[in-house]
Amino acid sequence: LRAQTKEFDALMEKVDQEIKKVGGYIESSSVSGNSYEYDENRYAELTVRVPSGKSEEFTKFVSENSTITNKEITTEDVTLSYVDMQSRVSALETEKATLERLLAGATTMADVISVQERLTDVIYEIESYKSQLRTYDNLIDYTTITIRINEVERVDIVEEQTVWEEIGTNLKRGFENVGNAFVRFFVFLVSSVPYLLMIAAYAAVVIVIVVI
């Protein structure tokens, strides 16, 4: 999801509360922008895990509390891989039981070592497949939702417009951008006055020294 909002802090708090409400959790998050070095609005990137049965409810909540500018949904059918892994685990468990019986009846050190080596490999393979199955279980039980929230001064509303309405909208935005640019330049200019005064004073001192 890509979302826009004029109330960044309020939306972030609401999203956090909704995540807890549906029984999900934030896998990762970052907030950037609006720093002293960069004059820009803030934006947040969240990777959220919510129970699969609650994913539509959560997505609807975000849509109702912000303006969604982009939405993409991808799914992956892991049924065949999942069943294949279960079959492999079942076969390995059978082999493991056989190896344990052979190990118990081994009479020579060579047989013990040989059976033990294969048993170790089988146990490792079983744990590896079970780990992958647990990963699939987690992916199936929880939907991953990635959200980018942009703080904006004006929310972009996508709607059908005539040619003249679109021209008028673009002109309005153009004038707004020019106005914002002038405001930022004025703020920069006023903020730079102390430095300009220091430079002027330094230049005056240099001129006086040169003249003398």
Side-chain angles (χ1 to χ4, degrees):
L1 299 174
R2 286 183 177 270
Q4 292 184 346
T5 180
K6 294 191 290 185
E7 300 176 350
F8 185 83
D9 293 318
L11 179 59
M12 290 292 290
E13 184 176 350
K14 288 179 180 178
V15 167
D16 184 61
Q17 292 174 351
E18 186 66 15
I19 291 170
K20 295 174 182 176
K21 177 183 173 183
V22 299
Y25 62 93
I26 296 176
E27 190 172 74
S28 65
S29 69
S30 66
V31 178
S32 304
N34 203 24
S35 64
Y36 290 107
E37 292 82 6
Y38 302 98
D39 182 19
E40 59 182 14
N41 292 333
R42 292 169 293 178
Y43 65 89
E45 292 187 349
L46 307 173
T47 300
V48 180
R49 304 297 307 284
V50 299
S52 297
K54 296 287 186 177
S55 60
E56 289 187 13
E57 177 184 335
F58 178 76
T59 302
K60 182 180 178 182
F61 173 85
V62 177
S63 300
E64 290 175 346
N65 287 272
S66 65
T67 300
I68 301 298
T69 59
N70 183 259
K71 179 179 180 180
E72 296 179 10
I73 299 176
T74 59
T75 59
E76 180 183 358
D77 188 350
V78 298
T79 304
L80 292 177
S81 297
Y82 195 93
V83 172
D84 180 60
M85 286 184 188
Q86 285 183 318
S87 299
R88 288 175 182 271
V89 169
S90 179
L92 288 168
E93 292 281 9
T94 301
E95 183 179 359
K96 176 174 174 287
T98 302
L99 290 170
E100 288 174 339
R101 288 195 298 270
L102 289 174
L103 183 62
T107 56
T108 66
M109 184 59 67
D111 289 341
V112 170
I113 293 174
S114 177
V115 173
Q116 186 65 59
E117 286 180 350
R118 177 54 190 162
L119 183 59
T120 300
D121 291 340
V122 168
I123 292 174
Y124 174 80
E125 288 183 57
I126 290 173
E127 291 305 314
S128 177
Y129 281 124
K130 284 186 175 180
S131 176
Q132 292 180 59
L133 286 171
R134 285 193 294 271
T135 299
Y136 275 138
D137 287 337
N138 183 263
L139 290 173
I140 292 168
D141 293 338
Y142 284 82
T143 297
T144 302
I145 302 177
T146 303
I147 312 170
R148 181 183 173 105
I149 300 173
N150 290 301
E151 181 182 33
V152 294
E153 298 175 3
R154 180 190 65 250
V155 173
D156 292 330
I157 300 176
V158 180
E159 57 183 13
E160 291 292 331
Q161 293 182 317
T162 65
V163 174
W164 292 108
E165 286 176 337
E166 187 173 350
I167 292 173
T169 299
N170 291 336
L171 283 173
K172 181 181 177 182
R173 290 180 180 176
F175 283 123
E176 288 178 352
N177 291 334
V178 171
N180 290 333
F182 275 117
V183 170
R184 287 176 179 154
F185 176 74
F186 178 73
V187 171
F188 169 76
L189 192 61
V190 172
S191 302
S192 302
V193 167
Y195 301 102
L196 294 175
L197 291 174
M198 290 176 59
I199 294 172
Y202 178 75
V205 171
V206 171
I207 292 172
V208 170
I209 291 175
V210 171
V211 171
I212 294 175

